[in-house]
Structure formats: structure tokens, C-alpha cells
Amino acid sequence: MEIVILAVVIAVVVIGALGGLVIGSRKKKRQEPPEAAAPTAPTETPDITAPPTAPQAGEEPGGEARPSGGATVAGPEPAAPVITEPAPPAIEVPEPTAGRLVRLRARLSRSQNALGQGLLSLLSREHLDEDTWEEVEDILLTADVGVAPTQELVERLRSRVKVLGTRTPAELRQLLREELLTLVGTDLDRTVHTESGLDTPGIVLVVGVNGTGKTTTTGKLARVLVADGKSVVLGAADTFRAAAADQLQTWGERVGARTVRGPEAGDPASVAFDSVKQGTEAGADVVLIDTAGRLHTKTGLMDELGKVKRVVEKHAPLDEILLVLDATTGQNGLVQARVFAEVVDITGIVLTKLDGTAKGGIVVSVQRELGVPVKLVGLGEGPDDLAPFEPEAFVDALVGS
Ligand code: GDP
């Protein structure tokens, strides 16, 4: 009798498991990745001539192994097979923006050590003669602080050090901290403005030369906004660089933000127009538009960005035009900044790759050059390595605290 019951149980389990395999594989067929049909990525179409293969245990159609195994027979529990729904793409929860710069301070200190420590050690010399002051100047100029701000700083340091007389290391650090803070500016509005209208989203245009980290920054900025509780639609208007739209879309998918894109080499202005239209219809808080940044000719750039700006403004006013600059490019970055500033009204600067250069002084020189504040800084390739710029945390990283 027991043997009969056991045989029945095994039979039920085996039939059930086989049923599970069939259902599981049918389900998987139905849920082939949607991008296979995307018109903009014909190369991603799966090879339908390939012989069908039975799904492997724990394998999703995309080929990624997953820990769950609804269709497997093996295992100690001979229960009825569980048909698992394929998990939706995991939506990440980005790190909160407040305090990011504090987390990234070690990277900033590492890269900017030469500036802060160099200045401190010079200022602690017993006799501060002309040669020493020249060395102070050299350090500031090498770090891209710029000629006029360097002269101002040296002048102020000279008179304050004279008043101070004997200097303890702590006093010097405090003095340098105060003067660098004055130079960087503590009263500038560094908010990334995304105030949407009653029926329209906030609109942010991201501009800059290709290679500066513009698309990456747009993706990271989407995470910053999502972390701040906003819903975001991305516009892939960099139709010039082939991979830019895919890259942006991947960033968006990670935080559940839709990406509006057009055909490769298509009209950037039409993508920008569509993204604002779709963002408005979807009731998004912010539309973030990545633009192409080829510095072919100033007129070409002006035409292209001018058109993007005009079509966007048919829907709603632009809240921000953020210029992305690669901090490692030094003077070249300043030249780019000048060109873009002539073409559009930049409202904020994003300095990328500050983790890879000792030239943090560009924060000061670019603000002076354009008269607009640095609002965000990139300190690495990680998804949350874009931080709101906080002068205090920046200066503390330079001089140590
Ligand atoms: P685009 O052509 O301007 O859109 O450039 P991308 O966004 O594709 O970025 C170019 C490269 O710069 C990529 O490898 C990025 O990972 C890298 N990058 C961007 N921002 C940063 C940053 O803050 N730090 C570092 N180390 N790399 C960055």
C-alpha cells in the first residue's frame, strides 16, 4: 500500500514538473526582451533561424542566470512546481544626495592633496620671503585657479599672515580654509532648478563637448533627481554619437526613467521636442535632455543648440542649461566653456573627473570665467559618484580638517 502511494506521489511530481517545464518555456517565449522589436536597434533582433533550445534551469531568456528555478525537477522538496514570473528589471534606489560629497571626500583629498598640503607647508615656513610667495602662486596656478584669483588670494594671505605673526599649523589651516572658501564662494545658488510649471515638467538641458562625460552625467543626474523624489523622463538628443542613446537608456532603466530617443543621426531638436511632449503627457517632474556636443564650428553648434532650445521652449521654459566640463582638460576646458557660453545661457557647471586630476582650482577659474556656479561634481565612474557641490566640503578636502 505504501509503495503504491509513493509511486502515485512520484508520478504526480514528475508529471507536474514536466508540465512546469512546458509552461515555463512558453512563458519565457512570450516574454522575449522587448528591445528585440525596437526599430532603433535592428542588430539586437534575436536570430529566429537558430534551433530552439530548451531553457536551462535558472536561466532567463536574456541569458542571465537567476537563482530561482521554478522549472527544475531536482531538489529535496517534491512539491508541485512553482511557476515563477520573470522578475521585472530591478529598479535601483539611488543614494541620497545630501552628504555625497562627504562620502567622496577621500577621493577629492587624494586628487587635490598637492594643492592644499603644498600651500600649508609653504605657509608654515619660518620666513615667508618673496621666493616663498612665488611658490605659493605657482602652486595655485598649476592647480588651474587662474591668474586673477591667484593674485587676489596671495595678496590676502600675505596681509593676514603678517597680522598673525607667529603661526600654528591649526591657525594656518583655518586661515587658508577661510580664504579658499571666499574664493570658491559660499553664497552662490547651487541648486539644480527643476521647478515644473502647473502642467509642465521642469526642463534641464545638458550640454558639453563629447568625451567630457556628458551622457554619463545626464544618467547620474537622473539618479540624483530620483533620489530627491522626482520622476524623470530622459531625452536622448545626442544623436551624433552612435552609442549615446543606448547608454542613456540603460541609465534610465536602472532607476525606472523612460528614455525618449529618435533615429541615429536624426534631428536632435525633434528628439528634444518629443521628450518634453512625452514628459508632459506622463506628468513627469523633470525632463532631462542630453545633447550632442561636437565643436565643429561655432555657428553649427549655435544652430543646433539654438534649435533644441527653441523647440523645447515651445512647451515650457527651460529651468537649467548645465555645461559639463572635464576637469582634467584644464585650459582647454575653459576655452570650451567660453564657446558654449556664447551659444547658450549656461546656468550651472558640472565638473567631471575631479577624482582624476590635481587641478581642482578649475572650480574657481570656470566660475569666474562664466559667472555661473559649479553645481555638481563628478568624482568617479560609479552610478552615485556625482555630488552636489558644497564649497565647505570641497575646501575641507583640500586643506584637511
Ligand atoms: P560623452 O561623450 O561626453 O557623453 O562622455 P561619456 O558620458 O560617455 O563619458 C566618457 C567617459 O568618462 C566614460 O568612461 C565615463 O565613465 C567617464 N566619466 C564620466 N564622469 C566621470 C567622473 O566623474 N570621473 C571619472 N573618473 N570618469 C568619469
Side-chain angles (χ1 to χ4, degrees):
M1 185 61 178
E2 278 172 17
I3 293 172
V4 173
I5 293 173
L6 196 60
V8 169
V9 168
I10 290 172
V12 167
V13 167
V14 169
I15 290 167
L18 286 175
L21 265 177
V22 173
I23 294 168
S25 70
R26 274 199 195 133
K27 260 197 160 335
K28 284 169 195 204
K29 269 268 168 315
R30 255 193 289 131
Q31 278 154 356
E32 283 291 69
E35 61 268 29
T40 47
T43 50
E44 285 175 23
T45 308
D47 180 7
I48 50 167
T49 57
T53 50
Q56 299 298 304
E59 194 182 65
E60 287 296 311
E64 278 176 36
R66 291 200 160 269
S68 66
T72 51
V73 187
E77 294 158 40
V82 179
I83 302 160
T84 48
E85 288 293 328
I91 305 283
E92 297 172 17
V93 179
E95 177 188 331
T97 47
R100 277 195 193 187
L101 199 53
V102 174
R103 169 178 66 82
L104 296 166
R105 213 182 96 167
R107 281 185 211 172
L108 205 48
S109 305
R110 241 189 342 262
S111 56
Q112 308 305 319
N113 222 20
L115 175 56
Q117 296 311 315
L119 289 175
L120 279 174
S121 88
L122 283 177
L123 294 175
S124 356
R125 283 188 187 166
E126 206 170 324
H127 298 292
L128 294 174
D129 53 18
E130 278 311 310
D131 286 349
T132 310
W133 287 112
E134 265 178 36
E135 283 182 63
V136 170
E137 261 188 38
D138 285 347
I139 285 192
L140 292 166
L141 291 173
T142 310
D144 274 345
V145 171
V147 177
T150 294
Q151 282 166 356
E152 279 171 37
L153 181 63
V154 169
E155 226 162 83
R156 291 185 59 87
L157 286 175
R158 280 182 92 137
S159 59
R160 286 195 66 183
V161 164
K162 206 181 278 173
V163 173
L164 205 59
T166 48
R167 293 142 271 146
T168 66
E171 280 171 333
L172 272 183
R173 179 168 284 123
Q174 181 55 23
L175 188 150
L176 194 57
R177 186 179 187 278
E178 284 170 19
E179 291 304 330
L180 285 172
L181 261 181
T182 306
L183 213 57
V184 172
T186 48
D187 50 5
L188 302 173
D189 177 12
R190 299 182 192 274
T191 323
V192 175
H193 290 282
T194 56
E195 293 87 10
S196 38
L198 214 53
D199 301 312
T200 50
I203 304 171
V204 179
L205 212 58
V206 184
V207 304
V209 172
N210 283 118
T212 53
K214 188 173 47 58
T215 302
T216 310
T217 298
T218 311
K220 289 179 183 172
L221 181 54
R223 297 176 68 92
V224 165
L225 295 168
V226 168
D228 289 345
K230 313 239 186 219
S231 59
V232 177
V233 165
L234 292 163
D238 182 355
T239 54
F240 175 65
R241 189 162 66 83
D246 287 340
Q247 198 183 329
L248 194 65
Q249 186 167 343
T250 305
W251 277 100
E253 279 166 359
R254 292 174 67 172
V255 287
R258 183 201 307 179
T259 301
V260 177
R261 46 191 294 178
E264 216 167 87
D267 179 17
S270 107
V271 178
F273 183 86
D274 284 348
S275 52
V276 178
K277 185 166 173 280
Q278 291 192 32
T280 308
E281 284 163 5
D285 294 318
V286 187
V287 176
L288 210 52
I289 303 169
D290 182 23
T291 61
R294 49 197 172 128
L295 271 183
H296 38 328
T297 61
K298 204 171 93 186
T299 338
L301 184 75
M302 205 178 289
D303 287 350
E304 197 164 285
L305 284 182
K307 192 170 163 201
V308 167
K309 187 170 176 290
R310 272 195 311 281
V311 299
V312 164
E313 285 176 334
K314 280 185 188 163
H315 289 287
L318 267 170
D319 294 87
E320 286 276 1
I321 302 183
L322 295 177
L323 172 68
V324 179
L325 283 184
D326 176 343
T328 65
T329 57
Q331 290 306 310
N332 203 3
L334 289 180
V335 174
Q336 291 169 17
R338 243 171 259 145
V339 173
F340 275 91
E342 283 174 34
V343 173
V344 278
D345 294 328
I346 309 291
T347 56
I349 298 152
V350 185
L351 267 185
T352 59
K353 309 185 197 181
L354 258 186
D355 53 315
T357 175
K359 295 172 176 288
I362 195 169
V363 168
V364 174
S365 45
V366 75
Q367 287 187 160
R368 284 283 175 103
E369 182 76 40
L370 300 192
V372 293
V374 171
K375 295 195 167 180
L376 296 156
V377 285
L379 283 160
E381 299 195 67
D384 292 328
D385 290 348
L386 181 75
F389 182 69
E390 297 161 31
E392 287 82 3
F394 178 72
V395 169
D396 282 347
L398 299 192
V399 298
S401 60

